Amino acid sequence: MATKEQIKDSAFYCFAHYGYEGTTMQDIASAVGLKKQSLYAHFGSKEELYRAVMKEQYRQIALELYDAYINLKEKPVEELLKGLFMKYAEIFSDRRRLLLWKRAAIHLGSGDTKHLSSDAWPVEYSFMEELHKTIREPHPTLEDPAVFQTFIASYQLMIQGYLEWMLVKGHDNEIWKAVWTSFWRGAMSCLCAN
Amino acid sequence: MATKEQIKDSAFYCFAHYGYEGTTMQDIASAVGLKKQSLYAHFGSKEELYRAVMKEQYRQIALELYDAYINLKEKPVEELLKGLFMKYAEIFSDRRRLLLWKRAAIHLGSGDTKHLSSDAWPVEYSFMEELHKTIREPHPTLEDPAVFQTFIASYQLMIQGYLEWMLVKGHDNEIWKAVWTSFWRGAMSCLCAN
DNA sequence: GTCTATAGAGGGATAGAC
DNA sequence: GTCTATCCCTCTATAGAC
């Protein structure tokens, strides 16, 4: 692996585990086996390195999600949403990604201006518009924007809740399945009741 | 307000918004109108101040939750769980608490040994055992430990998911209600199906 | 592209006057 | 209990030899 990639990889680990302020150039360099000053031959500053890591990760995550979506979009909505939920669990079984993701959410919510994850959230949802259309079609109840919004909110919320669970207790197939089943039945009964 | 309380209050804000490493004694002192050195007359170190803030917050949150539980425990399970969920939303409508809570979850999940929120999670769940018994009684299906575990997991997960939602988009009564309805119907239909 | 040396700033913390 | 002065350390970043 090229040195620049090794640095990014090490930085990925450190930023995820210790946060931006909690990580020093020293930490990153040590893991690669370099002096910290040498990092500046590859990245102009700590912040530039951080942004490079974030950008790559978000791009990668968005790609993997979109890829899953493409493979699932012809299937019934239940299978599609279940498959995407599974993809989330798969993607974030990488602890570094999970930590980075959760930290980014805090940056978004804290009004912390400094090293915002400005490019972050939008990227993930680049195909969301398309996904929404796919879901709405076979379910006329979802034509109502208010109903649709709460449906999607419940879905996203379940996913974020499960990621929180993974963060503290790790992935658990039984729990995953139970959560999905409960969500889907609840969502369906709400749709039919409206 | 006594100076010591003012310091804790300012520290609460800073630690929540900027994190432990991102906060300096300078920041905290400025907000109170003191020089940073004066803080050491009240707290031996930055870490001690941090622990004081965390301890107080967790104690307070646990108290408020327990209080809500006491007021609700005679009611039907649906009302009890819904009331507790509402209490969570209420407690964490304080942005500082929400941020601190989310940061603590990351500390728990990152293996970051330094300033662990060691006293954190257990405190909240000090009355959980009791709550669990209260829920189990009227629902014989829940006697099965596996069923019960997934039921509680779904519940906690929904709450954590909603807190994540609040972090990014703020509290929304419509969403809150929809999420609860969906959860409860899903949970019920799962219980009846088993 | 990696090293040594070093600048320059800011952090946590202590000592001692008032 | 708050201040000024100060210590010591670590951090980011630059300069320049190899």
Side-chain angles (χ1 to χ4, degrees):
Chain A
M1 188 158 47
T3 308
K4 189 161 183 170
E5 291 307 309
Q6 277 182 285
I7 293 171
K8 272 208 289 198
D9 199 61
S10 167
F12 180 21
Y13 180 89
C14 291
F15 286 137
H17 279 78
Y18 308 114
Y20 182 81
E21 280 91 359
T23 297
T24 71
M25 296 299 263
Q26 184 75 265
D27 295 332
I28 298 167
S30 299
V32 188
L34 287 176
K35 298 295 170 187
K36 59 179 175 175
Q37 294 92 331
S38 303
L39 301 183
Y40 291 90
H42 301 274
F43 297 93
S45 68
K46 183 183 176 183
E47 187 169 333
E48 191 184 312
L49 174 51
Y50 177 75
R51 287 189 185 281
V53 168
M54 294 301 272
K55 197 173 169 183
E56 183 174 309
Q57 282 308 311
Y58 277 113
R59 199 177 151 277
Q60 195 57 38
I61 289 169
L63 274 178
E64 290 179 35
L65 281 175
Y66 188 67
D67 197 54
Y69 166 70
I70 292 299
N71 286 330
L72 289 162
K73 69 176 179 178
E74 306 295 350
K75 310 228 160 137
V77 171
E78 178 177 359
E79 212 171 317
L80 166 59
L81 292 180
K82 190 176 179 183
L84 277 179
F85 179 32
M86 196 186 295
K87 193 69 191 176
Y88 269 91
E90 191 186 313
I91 287 173
F92 290 103
S93 64
D94 183 334
R95 202 146 199 80
R96 296 169 302 173
R97 282 182 165 177
L98 185 53
L99 286 164
L100 223 51
W101 189 262
K102 288 292 177 185
R103 288 189 192 277
I106 288 180
H107 287 149
L108 270 178
S110 68
D112 179 351
T113 53
K114 296 170 205 167
H115 5 273
L116 205 71
S117 44
S118 47
D119 338 285
W121 230 270
V123 174
E124 182 209 353
Y125 295 123
S126 53
F127 70 97
M128 276 294 161
E129 275 301 312
E130 207 180 321
L131 170 63
H132 291 179
K133 269 185 217 142
T134 312
I135 298 171
R136 226 178 327 230
E137 247 172 52
H139 290 272
T141 330
L142 291 173
E143 289 296 340
D144 178 350
V147 174
F148 181 71
Q149 200 211 347
T150 56
F151 175 77
I152 286 294
S154 291
Y155 180 63
Q156 290 183 352
L157 211 137
M158 173 200 62
I159 292 176
Q160 295 305 323
Y162 186 71
L163 295 188
E164 196 82 10
W165 176 281
M166 281 177 72
L167 182 64
V168 179
K169 310 195 187 180
H171 175 65
D172 181 316
N173 238 315
E174 289 308 309
I175 299 289
W176 183 91
K177 232 161 64 186
V179 165
W180 166 258
T181 307
S182 171
F183 161 76
W184 184 250
R185 289 192 188 172
M188 281 303 96
S189 74
C190 286
L191 287 184
C192 297
N194 278 325
Chain B
M1 190 158 45
T3 308
K4 188 159 182 172
E5 290 308 307
Q6 277 183 284
I7 293 170
K8 271 208 289 199
D9 199 61
S10 167
F12 180 21
Y13 180 90
C14 292
F15 286 138
H17 279 79
Y18 308 115
Y20 182 80
E21 280 92 357
T23 297
T24 71
M25 295 300 264
Q26 185 75 264
D27 295 332
I28 297 167
S30 299
V32 187
L34 287 176
K35 298 296 172 186
K36 61 174 178 175
Q37 294 90 332
S38 304
L39 302 183
Y40 291 90
H42 301 274
F43 298 92
S45 68
K46 183 184 176 184
E47 188 168 333
E48 191 186 312
L49 174 52
Y50 178 75
R51 288 190 185 280
V53 169
M54 294 301 272
K55 194 173 170 183
E56 183 175 310
Q57 282 308 312
Y58 277 111
R59 198 176 151 276
Q60 195 58 37
I61 289 170
L63 273 179
E64 290 180 35
L65 281 175
Y66 188 68
D67 197 54
Y69 166 69
I70 292 298
N71 286 329
L72 289 162
K73 69 175 180 179
E74 306 294 349
K75 310 228 161 137
V77 171
E78 178 177 0
E79 214 171 315
L80 165 59
L81 291 180
K82 190 178 179 183
L84 277 180
F85 179 31
M86 197 186 294
K87 193 69 190 176
Y88 267 92
E90 193 187 312
I91 287 173
F92 291 103
S93 64
D94 183 334
R95 201 146 199 82
R96 296 170 301 174
R97 281 182 167 176
L98 185 52
L99 286 164
L100 222 51
W101 189 262
K102 288 293 179 185
R103 287 189 192 278
I106 288 180
H107 287 150
L108 271 177
S110 69
D112 180 350
T113 52
K114 296 171 205 166
H115 6 274
L116 204 72
S117 43
S118 46
D119 338 286
W121 231 271
V123 174
E124 183 208 353
Y125 295 122
S126 51
F127 70 97
M128 276 293 162
E129 276 299 315
E130 207 180 321
L131 170 64
H132 289 179
K133 269 184 218 142
T134 311
I135 299 171
R136 227 181 322 235
E137 246 170 53
H139 290 273
T141 330
L142 290 172
E143 290 296 340
D144 179 349
V147 174
F148 181 72
Q149 199 212 349
T150 57
F151 175 77
I152 285 294
S154 290
Y155 181 63
Q156 290 183 351
L157 210 138
M158 173 201 61
I159 292 177
Q160 294 304 325
Y162 187 71
L163 295 187
E164 194 83 8
W165 177 281
M166 281 178 71
L167 183 65
V168 179
K169 310 195 187 179
H171 174 65
D172 182 316
N173 237 314
E174 289 307 308
I175 299 290
W176 183 91
K177 232 161 64 185
V179 165
W180 166 259
T181 306
S182 171
F183 161 75
W184 184 250
R185 289 193 189 172
M188 280 303 96
S189 74
C190 286
L191 286 185
C192 297
N194 280 327

